[in-house]
Amino acid sequence: RTPSSPSPRSLPPSMPCSGSSLVRRIGLVALALLGVPLSAHAQKMSLPAESQVPLLLKVLTYDRQFEVRAAPEVVVGIVYVAGDPDSQAAAEEVGQTFYKFAGKTVKKLPLKYVMVEYRSAAEVEKLLKDKGIKVLYVTPGNSKNLGELVKIAQANGLTSATGVPDYVKKGIAIGV
């Protein structure tokens, strides 16, 4: 040890001395250098659907105009990308959770859900109108379609929601 180097006890808490921490940091740097997209992890849902759905339904009750916009029933459209396994798995998980809420209401309005496969913005918009969708739930895997989905939701007065934190930064109204 040289006189100018700090003793291990004088290191600030933000500089851990453990080897495992160093290995993790080196691993992350190596992944970044290899070109492995770390942002793919950011597109995962932050909570399981069983936790998200009740929270989302509770948040909807705080919107004073929701009853007027959603009447005669609350229809949630779960938007997924068919070729994306994460998107399909998330849509299935969210759909199964909504299925458990069959017979429930939001602000005295009956609750339903429909699966919406994203093929094009025009098809999604047509389905929204045909099925009476009032809430658009966006699953992981929709990052390429996100701009269009946000525009569709805003143009049609829909509430948009997601379990992907990055999507909220890009315009989705509710993040759970």
Side-chain angles (χ1 to χ4, degrees):
R1 194 174 121 216
T2 64
S4 63
S5 67
S7 70
R9 290 185 186 162
S10 66
L11 288 175
S14 62
M15 295 179 63
C17 295
S18 73
S20 65
S21 175
L22 181 61
V23 170
R24 270 183 280 162
R25 286 182 184 175
I26 290 172
L28 288 174
V29 170
L31 286 174
L33 292 175
L34 289 172
V36 175
L38 295 176
S39 61
H41 175 69
Q43 284 193 11
K44 301 285 184 195
M45 294 193 308
S46 59
L47 290 174
E50 288 182 356
S51 299
Q52 286 184 46
V53 171
L55 287 170
L56 172 60
L57 297 178
K58 184 67 175 174
V59 168
L60 293 175
T61 66
Y62 288 100
D63 182 347
R64 294 181 189 168
Q65 299 300 315
F66 188 73
E67 290 167 293
V68 174
R69 285 195 328 268
E73 62 187 351
V74 178
V75 182
V76 179
I78 303 169
V79 182
Y80 69 98
V81 178
D84 185 303
D86 289 337
S87 186
Q88 287 180 285
E92 187 175 316
E93 182 183 350
V94 172
Q96 288 174 355
T97 305
F98 270 107
Y99 180 77
K100 294 175 186 176
F101 282 82
K104 302 289 184 190
T105 61
V106 177
K107 289 195 144 190
K108 300 180 183 174
L109 299 173
L111 177 64
K112 285 179 36 178
Y113 75 94
V114 295
M115 303 305 276
V116 179
E117 180 182 342
Y118 188 96
R119 292 183 187 153
S120 72
E123 284 186 41
V124 169
E125 195 155 18
K126 182 181 181 324
L127 191 60
L128 297 177
K129 292 174 181 174
D130 291 349
K131 299 290 184 178
I133 295 171
K134 305 299 183 197
V135 178
L136 200 61
Y137 182 92
V138 182
T139 65
N142 275 292
S143 58
K144 292 179 184 176
N145 315 321
L146 200 55
E148 291 295 325
L149 292 170
V150 169
K151 286 179 190 175
I152 290 169
Q154 291 173 346
N156 292 284
L158 304 178
T159 301
S160 58
T162 189
V164 181
D166 283 350
Y167 289 1
V168 176
K169 296 174 188 172
K170 296 176 181 174
I172 298 295
I174 300 171
V176 184

